[in-house]
Amino acid sequence: MSVALTIALPDADIDPDGELDLSLREDIRMLGRVLGDTLRDQEGEPIFDLVENIRRVSTRFHREEDEGARHELEAMLSDLDADDTISIVRAFSYFSHLANIAEDQNVIRRMRAAAASGHGAGPATVAGALERARKAGITVAELRKFFDTALASPVLTAHPTEVRRRSTLTHEMRIAELLADRARTEPTPEEQQLADDELRRRVLTLWQTNLLRKTKLTVLDEVANGLAYYDYTFLRQLPTLYAAVEDRLAAMESDAAENGALLPPPELASFFRVGSWIGGDRDGNPFVTADVTSETMRMQSALAVGFYLSELHELGGELSISTIRVKVSDELMALIDTAPGETSPHRRHEPYRLAMGAIATRLRATAFRLEVADLAGVTEKPDAAPYGSAAELRADLDVLDRSLKAHGSAAVARGKLRALRRAVDCFGFHLAILDSRQNSDVHERCVTELFEVASPGTNYKALPEGTRVALLLRELTTARPLTSPFIDYSDETEGELEMLRTCARIHRIYGSEAMQTAIISKAEGVSDMLELALLLKEVGLVDPAGTSAMHIVPLFETIEDLRNAPKVMEQMFRLPEYRRLVDSRGGVQEVMLGYSDSNKDGGFVTSGWELYKAEIELIEVFRRHGVRLRLFHGRGGSVGRGGGPSYDAILAQPGGAVQGQIRITEQGEIISSKYSNPAVGRGNLEILTAATLEATLLSGDAKAPRDEYLTVMEDLSEAAFRAYRALVYETPRFEDYFWESTVINEIATLNIGSRPASRKKTRRIEDLRAIPWVFSWAQCRLMLPGWYGFGTAVRQWLELHPDGLGLLQEMYREWPFFRTQLSNMDMVLSKSSIAIASRYAQLVEDAELRESIFGRIRTEHQAAIDALLSISEQPRLLGSNPLLDRSIRARFPYIDPLNHVQVGLLRKYRANDTDEKVLQGIQITINGISAGLRNSG
């Protein structure tokens, strides 16, 4: 099953005859046939035959680790010239992309089949969550109360693991539409021929389109790429989600009512908000400047305004209602006079069109106030009052809504107008909530300079923590500014101050909802949080009386920081000065937990466990102080960075961790897999909504079913931590093995992101960012960050507890956290291939180093598989998930050849082969392998 939408659909109920899987196979065969025909036509029959032969031998090598097949592959690939190599890797890469499209369409078919099966609402859907809440005795009133303060927020980030270009994505989306049309309609022969012809044209155009970017992305390029998903999914699918929730609640109320009357659904607060780091995250990215952040908000706002203008135009075409036939409200007639709109005499009896003309006129004037007229395509400034806020625009749309409902047109009001009103409420004039993020070390250096300039000899950086805190609190409550306009500060300090001034300016122009969160990366102590508060005070976003215009959010990333997080927050809440800031934000404190760096620091097992423990302790600290906890989960796409099915992950949180509010990063290639297809995107919006509701209202307060489980997990974590650290940080020259056996060097040549791969120019693992670390291990098919240490931990624990296997099996059955961890590991191990990884190991020149480290990895890989199968009581990997198992196995014949070709090209490139097509071939294989594995970064 596609990782774009992993839902446990009941196969037997919705597909007793396997028709859906048959449709998937037919789609894949058809797309493969079209690609094959294109390959023959464009590259010739010999290349087509060679591709087939490589696929066949690669399959034999994968299944049997056949040495004969290895030599045969090496011989075939070593004889290829550069042009033939490019053709082959492009063929296998494009097949992976096309297979993804077919799988996504199959997911949609399964969702529709489940909805139509008559077996009740499925899992991970809003309808299913509401039904489970009803069965648990939760009333509609209690559900409405939940939605009043709920928050579900995916936050899009620009981490560089999305290797696809927008150009190819556009063609792939159209191919997906063609497949969807085939499944839903019964075309005439002529219509079918036209569709087949277009499909062939699209695949041919894909083949002739460059897979790779020729220039490096800028931050604003990344912003533009991120904004595409609002067109694809968010702007239209979010309003339909709200409508579905409101209608379902109304139906539940009707069922509960004595007369069964269907009441008009009261509107819910906008609980689902899309966030973004793209253009606001400057941690380690020197290209995110104040000007870039300002332009980012302009681009976001222009998209929102342009969308509203387009929808108003379409709505005007629909609402041809005439006063000759119906009456309208007085406030609607008054609205028409607020701005000069439509003047045609043909419209004088069509007040809704006239009203929308007035609204559109004011909105065009607003484009100038927001400084986005050029980007929104508004060329002339109307003589009309601009809207001061999105709430004013919404109020005018509400006038139309009330008039329609009061005069017999309620059904009309429930159409496009309902969706537009909700969109304005959701997206405002800012589109997405843009976060600001910076590293605590940068804040520390800035504050040190400010104090030193204001009071020479302060030497803030050398002060002990307690003295720092006292100094910061004193300055925080002083009305006098610390900065001076007459001082020339360092470029870094001036850059940070200008960035925060830009945040304040964005508040003034677009509203305070446009930027609500300032995040401190590598937060370690109280002073880290107070330093940011002080910098915010200098630009007017925090005032000395104790109010803050932004949430101040610590990001705890390493294992040590996670362990200290509860103590840090306890100390923060004991400070009256800081507590006032929290109270000014509605008594909500957000805490961000970093999955990526904690995994690189301590391994998969320990990272997951320390995150879980930190949440348990934070819940207690926040409960004791009467503060509402909002967790922000910094998850990546891969399991090695906290990825995996979102629904299961949220429900596996300890009781009390999801207090009606949750934010989760959506990173890299996961964004396009989740949100480029509107139907799949809608499913993912439902997953996050349903999981937030269930985790809040149905989870209870139990930390774990039994305390004994916690003790066992602590033992396993300690053993896994030792094993992981022994390999990665304590093995001499491990960094040499990593840099030589993976594509980490070559990844840096891809134009897939604006952010540097390392924090410093060294080869140390400590300085490498978590994203390329995980991405590199995925490319060589080891996926090491997603499992290493687990096998050793289980073996050592069972040596101390010979009769303990039954307890581990019970933990797997009864404890969602443990089961989710192992389920994610199951998926990772299924995608790994020790046989292919052995070919990458051969790239390490030092034979002794190679054999020593790869031998340990091979042993631990098998130990992890054995432990997983014993605990889960499965006969083989993914034994309990046959759909995903079939999906992954079907991909191997097309992913594996890319790995084999990549190894050969790496040998040539590292031997200083100067043919530019060698590097190009490596880059295309990185693209294809990433597409085939899907959640690899």
Side-chain angles (χ1 to χ4, degrees):
M1 179 181 286
S2 159
V3 298
L5 190 63
T6 43
I7 301 175
L9 297 174
D11 286 9
D13 288 343
I14 67 169
D15 190 22
D17 301 318
E19 292 182 5
L20 295 176
D21 271 358
L22 178 61
S23 297
L24 171 60
R25 289 194 294 272
E26 288 176 349
D27 282 349
I28 289 178
R29 276 197 294 267
M30 178 192 64
L31 292 172
R33 187 166 58 249
V34 173
L35 179 61
D37 292 343
T38 303
L39 183 63
R40 277 197 193 94
D41 181 61
Q42 297 291 301
E43 308 297 327
E45 192 75 33
I47 291 293
F48 175 84
D49 292 340
L50 185 57
V51 166
E52 280 300 294
N53 199 27
I54 291 172
R55 183 189 62 78
R56 179 181 54 78
V57 178
S58 172
T59 300
R60 196 169 92 234
F61 177 71
H62 181 95
R63 289 175 179 167
E64 305 164 18
E65 208 169 334
D66 185 321
E67 281 300 309
R70 178 201 288 266
H71 295 311
E72 191 175 346
L73 268 174
E74 290 175 346
M76 277 193 294
L77 299 176
S78 64
D79 291 340
L80 295 176
D81 63 29
D83 288 329
D84 288 350
T85 300
I86 295 294
S87 296
I88 286 165
V89 297
R90 292 183 86 245
F92 283 115
S93 295
Y94 271 126
F95 184 85
S96 291
H97 286 281
L98 294 174
N100 288 346
I101 295 171
E103 285 198 351
D104 286 348
Q105 290 306 309
N106 197 51
V107 168
I108 295 168
R109 278 194 293 265
R110 299 184 73 84
M111 289 165 54
R112 292 173 61 84
S117 66
H119 293 281
T125 63
V126 167
L130 293 176
E131 178 62 19
R132 283 183 284 282
R134 184 190 65 78
K135 289 180 178 178
I138 297 172
T139 67
V140 174
E142 290 170 323
L143 288 168
R144 291 194 184 283
K145 184 178 179 182
F146 162 80
F147 284 115
D148 282 344
T149 58
L151 175 68
S153 179
V155 180
L156 309 190
T157 74
H159 291 298
T161 56
E162 170 55 85
V163 294
R164 283 191 293 178
R165 297 177 60 210
R166 285 260 319 263
S167 299
T168 59
L169 185 59
T170 300
H171 292 300
E172 290 174 17
M173 289 171 61
R174 180 55 188 154
I175 291 171
E177 291 173 1
L178 291 169
L179 289 186
D181 290 343
R182 291 170 69 95
R184 292 192 191 181
T185 62
E186 294 185 9
T188 66
E190 181 181 356
E191 290 169 339
Q192 186 61 63
Q193 185 61 52
L194 289 172
D196 290 345
D197 290 346
E198 183 178 358
L199 178 63
R200 291 181 178 279
R201 286 197 302 274
R202 290 286 178 172
V203 173
L204 174 59
T205 307
L206 266 180
W207 183 261
Q208 295 178 341
T209 298
N210 223 349
L211 263 172
L212 304 173
R213 298 182 181 95
K214 288 299 185 182
T215 56
K216 192 170 182 63
L217 285 176
T218 67
V219 178
L220 293 179
D221 290 332
E222 291 174 331
V223 172
N225 288 342
L227 293 181
Y229 299 100
Y230 294 83
D231 286 326
Y232 301 156
T233 293
F234 297 125
L235 283 166
R236 289 179 173 82
Q237 293 300 320
L238 258 182
T240 66
L241 172 65
Y242 280 104
V245 176
E246 289 171 347
D247 291 347
R248 178 68 64 164
L249 289 174
M252 291 170 65
E253 283 179 319
S254 176
D255 291 341
E258 291 185 5
N259 59 6
L262 186 61
L263 303 173
E267 293 184 0
L268 299 174
S270 290
F271 60 86
F272 201 110
R273 303 281 187 172
V274 183
S276 178
W277 278 12
I278 312 174
D281 176 16
R282 39 195 207 290
D283 178 20
N285 193 337
F287 305 110
V288 178
T289 63
D291 287 342
V292 165
T293 298
S294 180
E295 186 63 15
T296 296
M297 187 53 68
R298 275 203 341 120
M299 292 168 69
Q300 290 186 182
S301 181
L303 181 59
V305 170
F307 175 76
Y308 301 153
L309 286 170
S310 174
E311 292 297 290
L312 282 168
H313 179 73
E314 289 190 21
L315 195 53
E318 289 184 13
L319 294 185
S320 56
I321 296 170
S322 171
T323 51
I324 296 174
R325 305 295 305 163
V326 297
K327 294 181 179 180
V328 298
S329 67
D330 292 340
E331 63 175 347
L332 179 71
M333 298 305 295
L335 173 59
I336 295 170
D337 296 330
T338 59
E342 179 66 62
T343 59
S344 169
H346 303 296
R347 297 284 186 257
R348 68 177 183 273
H349 296 300
E350 297 174 344
Y352 291 102
R353 284 178 165 172
L354 293 174
M356 279 180 292
I359 293 172
T361 298
R362 290 194 65 189
L363 188 54
R364 284 192 288 271
T366 306
F368 286 89
R369 182 186 72 77
L370 298 172
E371 303 175 358
V372 301
D374 56 330
L375 298 179
V378 179
T379 56
E380 295 185 12
K381 185 176 182 180
D383 183 18
Y387 288 111
S389 67
E392 292 182 12
L393 169 59
R394 167 64 191 251
D396 278 357
L397 294 171
D398 289 347
V399 170
L400 276 70
D401 179 68
R402 286 192 295 271
S403 181
L404 287 167
K405 289 176 178 176
H407 297 93
S409 300
V412 176
R414 284 172 52 81
K416 189 177 285 291
L417 177 61
R418 182 187 190 185
L420 178 57
R421 291 170 57 243
R422 176 59 73 178
V424 170
D425 199 52
C426 265
F427 302 106
F429 288 145
H430 59 282
L431 188 72
I433 301 168
L434 184 64
D435 286 359
S436 168
R437 183 173 78 132
Q438 183 56 283
N439 194 285
S440 61
D441 290 342
V442 176
H443 294 155
E444 180 187 59
R445 291 194 293 270
C446 292
V447 169
T448 296
E449 181 177 359
L450 294 181
F451 276 126
E452 200 61 30
V453 169
S455 180
T458 302
N459 199 7
Y460 172 83
K461 193 169 184 177
L463 296 176
E465 176 72 359
T467 308
R468 282 187 176 199
V469 169
L471 179 59
L472 290 165
L473 289 175
R474 185 167 65 249
E475 195 63 40
L476 195 60
T477 54
T478 300
R480 165 195 46 78
L482 183 61
T483 55
S484 168
F486 306 107
I487 299 293
D488 290 329
Y489 297 103
S490 67
D491 289 345
E492 181 177 64
T493 297
E494 187 54 47
E496 285 306 302
L497 290 171
E498 187 57 33
M499 174 65 74
L500 296 177
R501 292 186 193 110
T502 296
C503 295
R505 184 171 179 273
I506 285 172
H507 274 218
R508 291 192 297 272
I509 296 175
Y510 304 97
S512 59
E513 62 272 17
M515 294 192 78
Q516 302 179 21
T517 302
I519 300 167
I520 310 139
S521 297
K522 205 170 76 66
E524 297 173 347
V526 171
S527 62
D528 292 330
M529 297 181 67
L530 294 179
E531 285 163 3
L532 176 57
L534 178 57
L535 292 172
L536 290 172
K537 170 182 168 277
E538 290 303 304
V539 300
L541 291 172
V542 164
D543 72 40
T547 62
S548 177
M550 299 184 76
H551 291 287
I552 297 171
V553 178
L555 167 52
F556 299 107
E557 300 182 83
T558 67
I559 299 298
E560 182 180 0
D561 292 343
L562 289 170
R563 290 170 176 169
N564 290 334
K567 180 177 70 175
V568 172
M569 297 314 302
E570 174 74 37
Q571 293 170 339
M572 293 303 302
F573 293 151
R574 287 181 178 177
L575 300 174
E577 298 89 345
Y578 184 77
R579 180 57 192 267
R580 284 196 291 271
L581 298 180
V582 173
D583 290 342
S584 76
R585 301 295 301 167
V588 175
Q589 170 69 56
E590 187 171 299
V591 173
M592 186 170 184
L593 302 176
Y595 289 64
S596 304
D597 283 285
S598 61
N599 180 286
K600 186 167 73 73
D601 185 31
F604 172 70
V605 176
T606 301
S607 170
W609 179 232
E610 291 298 335
L611 285 158
Y612 189 88
K613 286 197 303 180
E615 290 184 39
I616 290 175
E617 294 180 43
L618 285 168
I619 291 165
E620 182 54 37
V621 168
F622 277 62
R623 181 180 291 139
R624 188 162 56 246
H625 287 275
V627 176
R628 185 174 187 176
L629 171 64
R630 178 196 296 159
L631 287 175
F632 185 5
H633 297 268
R635 306 170 74 231
S638 65
V639 169
R641 295 187 48 244
S646 299
Y647 181 74
D648 294 336
I650 294 172
L651 294 187
Q653 302 294 304
V658 185
Q659 298 177 18
Q661 300 192 347
I662 191 169
R663 298 214 301 155
I664 300 177
T665 53
E666 300 280 27
Q667 299 183 356
E669 80 285 353
I670 293 301
I671 298 174
S672 62
S673 69
K674 281 187 173 183
Y675 299 115
S676 60
N677 183 297
V680 173
R682 165 63 186 271
N684 280 292
L685 300 179
E686 289 215 20
I687 284 173
L688 188 50
T689 302
T692 304
L693 188 152
E694 291 186 50
T696 302
L697 300 181
L698 304 178
S699 69
D701 292 324
K703 294 180 182 178
R706 288 168 51 185
D707 287 342
E708 188 178 6
Y709 295 175
L710 303 176
T711 303
V712 173
M713 196 63 225
E714 186 70 26
D715 293 342
L716 292 174
S717 174
E718 289 180 5
F721 181 76
R722 289 193 300 270
Y724 176 84
R725 296 284 301 188
L727 176 75
V728 175
Y729 294 103
E730 298 166 13
T731 299
R733 297 186 60 206
F734 178 82
E735 65 274 11
D736 293 335
Y737 178 90
F738 170 70
W739 283 81
E740 290 181 35
S741 68
T742 72
V743 292
I744 179 63
N745 269 312
E746 290 72 20
I747 286 173
T749 68
L750 279 168
N751 296 308
I752 58 175
S754 65
R755 199 178 185 208
S758 290
R759 293 181 172 89
K760 302 175 183 176
K761 292 183 178 180
T762 73
R763 287 163 60 93
R764 296 173 70 241
I765 303 300
E766 292 90 337
D767 295 328
L768 188 67
R769 295 192 182 281
I771 298 160
W773 162 257
V774 172
F775 193 63
S776 298
W777 287 115
Q779 285 284 311
C780 72
R781 300 290 292 284
L782 264 179
M783 321 286 195
L784 182 143
W787 53 266
Y788 196 91
F790 179 72
T792 292
V794 172
R795 175 179 57 77
Q796 291 180 357
W797 190 84
L798 287 175
E799 287 173 356
L800 295 173
H801 306 84
D803 299 324
L805 180 58
L807 177 57
L808 295 176
Q809 292 171 338
E810 179 186 314
M811 289 168 60
Y812 178 80
R813 291 191 302 270
E814 302 296 331
W815 190 11
F817 164 77
F818 192 63
R819 184 170 59 252
T820 298
Q821 292 291 97
L822 268 62
S823 174
N824 288 337
M825 196 186 311
D826 195 2
M827 178 181 67
V828 166
L829 288 167
S830 298
K831 292 184 177 182
S832 67
S833 169
I834 203 70
I836 288 176
S838 70
R839 295 208 63 211
Y840 285 85
Q842 293 296 318
L843 296 170
V844 179
E845 293 184 1
D846 188 320
E848 183 178 351
L849 178 69
R850 175 176 69 237
E851 295 304 322
S852 170
I853 292 181
F854 187 71
R856 289 168 65 183
I857 292 173
R858 180 192 290 272
T859 299
E860 183 65 20
H861 182 265
Q862 188 59 51
I865 293 174
D866 293 342
L868 175 64
L869 295 180
S870 295
I871 294 169
S872 64
E873 300 179 85
Q874 296 181 140
R876 65 179 188 280
L877 293 175
L878 290 179
S880 61
N881 193 343
L883 201 61
L884 182 57
D885 181 45
R886 289 194 295 272
S887 167
I888 291 174
R889 288 179 181 275
R891 290 169 175 274
F892 287 150
Y894 305 95
I895 303 174
D896 292 0
L898 290 169
N899 286 111
H900 293 299
V901 174
Q902 188 180 82
V903 170
L905 291 172
L906 287 170
R907 289 189 189 281
K908 292 181 180 180
Y909 183 66
R910 293 176 183 181
N912 298 317
D913 191 314
T914 57
D915 189 339
E916 65 178 18
K917 290 182 179 178
V918 172
L919 178 58
Q920 182 186 353
I922 292 171
Q923 293 170 335
I924 295 173
T925 60
I926 292 172
N927 178 298
I929 293 166
S930 174
L933 296 175
R934 305 207 80 171
N935 57 344
S936 59

